[in-house]
Amino acid sequence: MSIAKIEEIVGTSDKGWEDAARVAVTEAAKTVRGIHGIEIVDQTAQVDPNTGKITKYRTCIKFSFTVER
């Protein structure tokens, strides 16, 4: 029998939402072992009010990993 835990974090990037998700997983993997899946929960962006261009992408993910005994 195994137990999985789910955590939620936000990654940011100036390249895009996919890169922001990748950043989130990479950072989580530095302290959590055994990540085996993610779910994209939300995607938002910061916009420069002067240019109307996106300056930062944010992707909120839930990731699951096995709890070790």
Side-chain angles (χ1 to χ4, degrees):
M1 180 172 92
S2 65
I3 298 171
K5 183 169 175 91
I6 299 171
E7 293 290 335
E8 188 171 320
I9 59 173
V10 177
T12 61
S13 170
D14 57 359
K15 296 178 185 173
W17 286 292
E18 185 176 342
D19 191 55
R22 189 176 298 108
V23 167
V25 172
T26 300
E27 287 301 310
K30 290 179 181 178
T31 57
V32 177
R33 288 191 305 241
I35 296 173
H36 51 79
I38 71 165
E39 174 187 352
I40 303 297
V41 177
D42 195 21
Q43 295 175 316
T44 59
Q46 181 178 345
V47 177
D48 182 324
N50 297 319
T51 64
K53 294 186 179 184
I54 295 174
T55 57
K56 198 157 296 244
Y57 298 85
R58 297 182 194 104
T59 301
C60 180
I61 68 165
K62 287 183 181 179
F63 66 96
S64 59
F65 57 97
T66 303
V67 176
E68 296 178 8
R69 295 182 183 233

